[in-house]
Amino acid sequence: MVRSVWHRSLLLLLGTCGLVLVATAYVHPGAPPARAAATSVSVATPECRTSQLHADYRARDAAAGHRYGVVRLRNTGDRACVLQGYGGLSYVGGGDGTQVGAAADREPATARRVVLAPGERALSRVAETVAENYPRGRCHPTPVDGFRVYAPDATRALFVAHRTTGCADDAVHLLSHRPYHA
């Protein structure tokens, strides 16, 4: 008796699953699975160009001679675009965009593909070491006007105002950042 109840339950479960599959195919005949559809749309989405991006910086936290924030890239275009990976980041000064010190180091992290619809933003976490942590003779403190920001794979940069003090010595690395993420 127990065995027959178990068999009936199994047959009922299999029958229900079969009906659900048939009903799904009938309601959405020939529709690809949602995951496949999203992948094919993402693959066809072009890479973001500098001309369709706006950059800004938001400070988040500070501790023990360090400051933390995010560089945000916003899609100002009228179509979706893709960012993936690290961009470029450095301090600039002198009122003319001259690079101050070493470019930002890349913190190890997984670079994910980010699809930005119009108006959406991608973020890159930025860590700054305060220039005053280094001896003046080694650092050569220099006024900074802001950041030079490159989107991943871009050859044109964006400027983001961010007044601070950098180190003119390229051997002193004050900046680090992570790949862009949603």
Side-chain angles (χ1 to χ4, degrees), residues 41-110:
V41 170
S42 297
V43 171
T45 305
E47 193 166 32
C48 296
R49 293 189 310 245
T50 305
S51 62
Q52 71 188 107
L53 296 172
H54 172 76
D56 66 12
Y57 175 79
R58 292 290 184 252
R60 294 273 170 98
D61 200 5
H66 292 80
R67 294 184 300 258
Y68 303 95
V70 291
V71 168
R72 304 184 311 175
L73 293 179
R74 182 172 48 92
N75 179 357
T76 59
D78 58 358
R79 294 189 179 142
C81 63
V82 171
L83 288 175
Q84 182 172 354
Y86 293 90
L89 182 69
S90 60
Y91 282 142
V92 293
D96 60 2
T98 301
Q99 185 167 320
V100 175
D105 295 324
R106 294 177 171 184
E107 294 180 16
T110 302

Side-chain angles (χ1 to χ4, degrees), residues 27 35 106 148 180:
V27 173
R35 185 176 189 155
R106 294 177 171 184
R148 177 182 293 134
Y180 283 93

